[in-house]
C-alpha cells in the first residue's frame, strides 16, 4: 500500500533558517528568564490569541481581548467575544492535547469554535472555496475526501518524527492543513494553533512565543506564500516563509525578556514579592505590607510601574478611583 508523502524539497534557505533558529534556541539564557516570568507568558499568550483572531477579521483590540480573558465586560458582538473565550480555552490546553492525534484535532476544533460554528468539532460536510470578490481563487478538496486526506497527513507526521526536523514538519502540516481545509470554519486558527503545538513538543518555550503575531504583521505575505504553493504543487515557499518568521520572532522575544528584566526595578520587585497571584489587594493593605505611609510614593514608585508592565491590574479598570478598587498580580 502506497503511503502519502507531502511534496516539498529541502532548500539551502531552509537549512540556513533551521540553523539560525536552533542557534537562538540554544542560547537559552534569556529565554529561560522569559519562561520563568508568568506576566510575559500571559502577555504573549494574549498576543497570540489577538493576532490569530485578527487575521480572521475579529475586530477586538488587544486591550479588549485582554479584558475578555480577564472577565471584564466588553461591548462588542457576542460572536467575537465568544471567539476570544474559545481561543483562550484552546491555547490553555496547548501542552495537554496530542498534536499527532486526529481525534484531538476534532476535539480542539470543538473548543475553538464552541457556540460559533454549526459543525463544531466535525469535518465539513459541504464544499469550500476561497473567494476574491465573486471569483473563486481556490477550491478545497471535496468534503468526502477530507477524512482520508487528514488521516494521510497525520500518518506522515507520525512517520516523520525523528527523521524530518520539527520545524519542517510543523510548516508542512500548516500548509497541507490549509490546503485540505477540513472544517467549515476555523481552519486558519486551528492551523496556527497546531503549528505552535508541534513546535512546543520540540521546544516547550514555543508554547509562549507569539508566532501568530509575527504572521499577522506579514499577513499578505502569509497568504501569498500559501497561494504560491498552491500553484507550485509543493510547500517549499511556505516552509521558507515560516522559518523566516520564527527566526524573527525569537529576536523579538529575546528583546522583550531583556527589556522586562531591565525595567523591573527594586520597588516593583518588592511589590510583587508581597502579592500572591490572582488575589485582590486594596492599596492600603499593600502599603502596610511594604511599610509605606505615603500614597504618592506607593503610586509613583511601586504601583504605576508595575501596572505599566502589566504585572499588576485593577479589578475595576473603568473606575480607577473607586473605593472598592483592588489590585491583582498577574
Amino acid at each position: 500500500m502506497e503511503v502519502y508523502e507531502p511534496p516539498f524539497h529541502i532548500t539551502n534557505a531552509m537549512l540556513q533558517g533551521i540553523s539560525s533558529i536552533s542557534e537562538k534556541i540554544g542560547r537559552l539564557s534569556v529565554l529561560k528568564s522569559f519562561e520563568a516570568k508568568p506576566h510575559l507568558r500571559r502577555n504573549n499568550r494574549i498576543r497570540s490569541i489577538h493576532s490569530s483572531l485578527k487575521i480572521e477579521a475579529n475586530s477586538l483590540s488587544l486591550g479588549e481581548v485582554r479584558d475578555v480573558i480577564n472577565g471584564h465586560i466588553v461591548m462588542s458582538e457576542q460572536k467575537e467575544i465568544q471567539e476570544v473565550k474559545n481561543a483562550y480555552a484552546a491555547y490553555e490546553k496547548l501542552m495537554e492535547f496530542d498534536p499527532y492525534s486526529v481525534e484531538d484535532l476534532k476535539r480542539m476544533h470543538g473548543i475553538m469554535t464552541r457556540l460559533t460554528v454549526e459543525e463544531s468539532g466535525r469535518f465539513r460536510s459541504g464544499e469550500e472555496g476561497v473567494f476574491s470578490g465573486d471569483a473563486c481563487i481556490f477550491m478545497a478538496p471535496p468534503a468526502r475526501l477530507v477524512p482520508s486526506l487528514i488521516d494521510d497527513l497525520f500518518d506522515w507526521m507520525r512517520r516523520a518524527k525523528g527523521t524530518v526536523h520539527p520545524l519542517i514538519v510543523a510548516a508542512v502540516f500548516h500548509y497541507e492543513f490549509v490546503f485540505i481545509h477540513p472544517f467549515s470554519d476555523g481552519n486558519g486558527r486551528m492551523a496556527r494553533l497546531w503549528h505552535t503545538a508541534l513546535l512546543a513538543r520540540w521546544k516547550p518555550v514555543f508554547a509562549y512565543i507569539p508566532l501568530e503575531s509575527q504572521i499577522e504583521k506579514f499577513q499578505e505575505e502569509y497568504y501569498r506564500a500559501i497561494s504560491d504553493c498552491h500553484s507550485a504543487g509543493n510547500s517549499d515557499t511556505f516552509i521558507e516563509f515560516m522559518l523566516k518568521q520564527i527566526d524573527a520572532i525569537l529576536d523579538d522575544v529575546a528583546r522583550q525578556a531583556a527589556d522586562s528584566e531591565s525595567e523591573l526595578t527594586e520597588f516593583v520587585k518588592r511589590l510583587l514579592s508581597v502579592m500572591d497571584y490572582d488575589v485582590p489587594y486594596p492599596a492600603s493593605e499593600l502599603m502596610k505590607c511594604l511599610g509605606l505611609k505615603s500614597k504618592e510614593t506607593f503610586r509613583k514608585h511601586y504601583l504605576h510601574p508595575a501596572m505599566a508592565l502589566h504585572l499588576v491590574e485593577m479589578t475595576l479598570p473603568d473606575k480607577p478611583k473607586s473605593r472598592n478598587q483592588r489590585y491583582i498580580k498577574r
Side-chain angles (χ1 to χ4, degrees):
M1 180 178 175
E2 187 176 350
V3 294
Y4 178 68
E5 296 289 338
F8 68 93
H9 312 89
I10 301 298
T11 66
N12 286 335
M14 292 178 198
L15 294 175
Q16 291 169 4
I18 291 171
S19 176
S20 179
I21 291 166
S22 298
E23 182 180 346
K24 289 174 182 178
I25 288 292
R27 297 198 302 263
L28 282 175
S29 58
V30 173
L31 291 177
K32 282 181 179 177
S33 175
F34 157 70
E35 287 183 287
K37 296 176 180 177
H39 68 285
L40 287 184
R41 297 202 305 267
R42 184 177 177 82
N43 285 346
N44 282 348
R45 173 62 51 81
I46 292 171
R47 286 174 62 196
S48 291
I49 292 168
H50 169 254
S51 292
S52 195
L53 293 176
K54 187 177 179 181
I55 292 170
E56 307 298 328
N58 187 298
S59 67
L60 295 186
S61 67
L62 179 61
E64 288 171 328
V65 168
R66 187 186 302 278
D67 285 343
V68 170
I69 291 172
N70 289 337
H72 302 150
I73 295 175
V74 173
M75 303 302 293
S76 184
E77 291 184 16
Q78 187 57 42
K79 182 176 184 290
E80 293 194 327
I81 293 172
Q82 188 64 45
E83 285 177 345
V84 172
K85 293 178 179 178
N86 291 347
Y88 183 68
Y91 274 84
E92 283 295 281
K93 294 182 179 297
L94 191 69
M95 299 302 289
E96 298 176 17
F97 63 80
D98 179 4
Y100 298 93
S101 165
V102 175
E103 287 307 309
D104 275 6
L105 175 75
K106 291 190 282 190
R107 181 171 64 85
M108 293 308 297
H109 181 263
I111 294 173
M112 182 71 81
T113 60
R114 178 176 175 269
L115 303 178
T116 63
V117 174
E118 185 175 345
E119 292 183 299
S120 179
R122 305 194 307 274
F123 292 143
R124 59 182 167 88
S125 58
E127 308 311 323
E128 293 285 338
V130 177
F131 290 81
S132 177
D134 294 331
C136 180
I137 59 176
F138 169 70
M139 197 68 194
R144 61 184 171 78
L145 298 181
V146 165
S148 61
L149 290 173
I150 287 293
D151 283 343
D152 285 347
L153 176 58
F154 275 73
D155 178 63
W156 171 78
M157 283 201 301
R158 288 189 287 267
R159 286 186 285 107
K161 280 196 295 185
T163 60
V164 181
H165 198 286
L167 286 163
I168 300 292
V169 171
V172 170
F173 169 85
H174 191 148
Y175 169 72
E176 292 274 328
F177 183 88
V178 170
F179 177 84
I180 297 168
H181 211 78
F183 300 108
S184 61
D185 196 9
N187 292 287
R189 281 168 279 167
M190 290 299 296
R192 292 183 287 274
L193 171 71
W194 230 253
H195 196 141
T196 295
L198 287 166
L199 293 179
R201 293 313 186 279
W202 172 49
K203 299 292 183 182
V205 70
F206 276 103
Y208 297 102
I209 290 177
L211 178 57
E212 297 82 352
S213 68
Q214 187 69 18
I215 294 173
E216 189 237 320
K217 289 179 188 176
F218 297 92
Q219 187 172 339
E220 289 187 12
E221 191 176 341
Y222 171 68
Y223 285 124
R224 190 182 309 119
I226 291 173
S227 178
D228 289 348
C229 290
H230 291 345
S231 300
N234 62 60
S235 54
D236 296 4
T237 300
F238 187 76
I239 296 170
E240 291 176 359
F241 169 80
M242 289 306 306
L243 292 175
K244 178 180 177 182
Q245 303 314 319
I246 293 168
D247 190 69
I249 196 66
L250 287 176
D251 290 335
D252 288 347
V253 167
R255 285 192 294 269
Q256 179 192 39
D259 289 346
S260 175
E261 186 67 35
S262 65
E263 292 173 7
L264 212 59
T265 66
E266 291 302 318
F267 297 116
V268 171
K269 290 178 182 178
R270 280 193 62 205
L271 173 62
L272 297 178
S273 71
V274 302
M275 300 177 73
D276 289 325
Y277 285 103
D278 293 326
V279 175
Y281 294 90
S284 58
E285 182 177 345
L286 292 174
M287 289 177 62
K288 182 178 179 181
C289 291
L290 293 166
L292 299 175
K293 295 183 178 180
S294 169
K295 292 182 180 179
E296 179 62 24
T297 297
F298 171 65
R299 293 193 188 100
K300 181 178 180 180
H301 296 292
Y302 294 82
L303 185 60
H304 290 172
M307 291 174 63
L309 291 170
H310 302 292
L311 302 175
V312 174
E313 296 178 355
M314 292 184 286
T315 56
L316 301 172
D318 298 330
K319 300 177 181 178
K321 296 184 179 180
S322 171
R323 67 173 62 186
N324 296 319
Q325 187 67 260
R326 299 292 185 271
Y327 301 93
I328 295 180
K329 176 182 176 181
R330 294 300 191 187

